[in-house]
Amino acid sequence: MRAIWKGAVSFGLVSIGVKLYSATEEKDIRFHQVHREDGGRIRYKRTCQVCGEEVTYDDIAKGYDIGGGEMVILTDDDFAELPLSSSRAIDVLEFVPAEQVDPILYNKAYFLEPEGTATKPYVLLRDALTDSERVAIVKVALRQREQLATLRVREGVLLLNTMLWPDEIRTPAFGFLDEDLKVRPPELAMASSLIDSMAGEFEPDAFTDDYRAALQEVIDAKVEGREVVQPEEVEEAPAAAVDLMAALKASVERAKAARGEAPAGGGGEPTPISSARSAQKKAAEKKAAKAPARKTADKKAAPKKTAAKKAAPKKAAEGEKKPAAKKAAPKKAARKTA
C-alpha cells in the first residue's frame, strides 16, 4: 500500500506521527470507451464553450455558479488562504460510545500506521480505546476539505472513518409515513418469529459478488476466443396470493425446515407449505394402495393371453377351409328363399 497522507494524531499533549492508507478498494471491473469498429480509445478534449479553444490543466480554475449566467472564479490562492488549522493534524475532540454514532454518517475508511518513534504512543492510544469501548471523534483536513471522523480499533490497527456532516443527511419524506397503518399483534409476533428463525452470525466472507465473477468469466472467454454460453435461469412459478399472516407462517416453517428443525408442537393450524406436503403424502399412499390391485388384475389377464395364443392355430386352420365355405354359400341362399 502507498501512504496518501502524513500527519499527526493530537491526543491531549501527546502527538503521534502517522501515515494514512486507504483501507478499502473497489473491485468493480472498469471499461474504456472505444470505437466499435477498430477499438481505438475515445478521448475528450477540454474546450472552452466561450472561445472554443482547448484548455490545459494550468489554465483551469474552479467556478461557483451564482445563477443568471454569472460565475465566481476561485484560484488555488483563494483555497490556500482558507483557515484549515488542522491541515496536518488529526485533532481528537472527544470520546463517545460507538453505538451513539449512526452508521449512515460513515463515509470512507483509512488505516493509520505509526511513523518513526511514534509506535509506543500509538499502541497506548489503541489499547486505551479498546479498554474504554469508545471511539474518538476527530477533525481532519483531507483534499482541501475539513472532515469529521472517528478513530476506532480494528484488528490491532487504528482506523479512521471519515463522516458526513449532519446537514448532508437527507430527511426522508414519504407519503406512507403520514398514513395511520395498524399492525396486528399476531402479525408482529409471527414476523419476530421469522426473524428469530433466520438469525445468524454475520460472516462477510460468506457473501460474494456473483455479477462481477460472471462478468469476469465473459471477459476471460473473449480473451481465450471461445464461445460464451449464457445458461438460462430457472424461474420459480409465482406463488398464489396469500394473506400476510399465512405468508409469515410459511416463511417461518420454510426457514426452520432449511435448518432441519421440526415444527413447534408438531401440529397447529396448517400452512400453505404443510398443506402441500400433506396432499403429496396422501397421493403417495393412494398410489401405493392401488399398486397391488393392478398386479393381481395383470395376473388374471395372463391366462387369456395364453388361450389366445393357443387358439391361433385353429384360426389358421379355419382360414384354410375358407374356399369350401364359399362353395356352400349358394345352398344357404336357397334355404332362405324356400
Side-chain angles (χ1 to χ4, degrees), residues 295-314:
K295 289 181 180 179
T296 305
D298 291 342
K299 288 181 180 178
K300 289 181 180 179
K304 290 182 180 180
K305 290 181 180 179
T306 305
K309 288 181 180 178
K310 289 181 179 178
K314 290 183 180 180

Side-chain angles (χ1 to χ4, degrees), residues 62-81:
K62 290 182 173 63
Y64 181 80
D65 190 352
I66 60 176
E70 294 182 307
M71 196 81 64
V72 174
I73 300 176
L74 299 177
T75 64
D76 292 339
D77 293 337
D78 296 323
F79 286 102
E81 294 177 1

Side-chain angles (χ1 to χ4, degrees), residues 90-238:
I90 300 174
D91 295 325
V92 177
L93 305 178
E94 59 183 355
F95 297 93
V96 301
E99 60 270 15
Q100 291 185 1
V101 181
D102 191 335
I104 196 174
L105 293 169
Y106 288 128
N107 192 4
K108 294 183 179 181
Y110 301 91
F111 288 130
L112 294 183
E113 179 193 24
E115 185 177 21
T117 59
T119 302
K120 187 172 181 178
Y122 178 98
V123 172
L124 174 63
L125 176 59
R126 181 198 66 186
D127 294 347
L129 280 174
T130 302
D131 293 342
S132 67
E133 297 182 350
R134 292 173 178 263
V135 298
I137 303 298
V138 304
K139 273 188 178 182
V140 60
L142 294 174
R143 299 184 178 89
Q144 294 185 334
R145 184 188 178 192
E146 189 175 58
Q147 300 187 55
L148 195 64
T150 62
L151 271 183
R152 61 188 180 91
V153 181
R154 185 180 188 275
E155 297 182 354
V157 177
L158 290 178
L159 184 74
L160 178 78
N161 275 110
T162 58
M163 295 194 298
L164 301 172
W165 294 99
D167 61 357
E168 293 179 314
I169 305 300
R170 293 177 175 176
T171 301
F174 303 111
F176 77 93
L177 294 174
D178 298 327
E179 297 177 9
D180 186 17
L181 299 175
K182 300 294 184 181
V183 177
R184 294 186 299 160
E187 293 174 340
L188 183 59
M190 188 56 64
S192 299
S193 178
L194 174 59
I195 291 174
D196 292 339
S197 65
M198 298 177 64
E201 299 296 330
F202 179 58
E203 298 179 2
D205 294 338
F207 303 93
T208 57
D209 188 348
D210 296 333
Y211 175 82
R212 176 161 54 92
L215 180 57
Q216 188 62 57
E217 288 185 5
V218 172
I219 294 173
D220 293 341
K222 289 281 188 179
V223 173
E224 296 175 7
R226 57 186 171 87
E227 182 181 359
V228 179
V229 179
Q230 178 65 38
E232 295 183 1
E233 293 185 2
V234 180
E235 296 183 0
E236 295 183 359

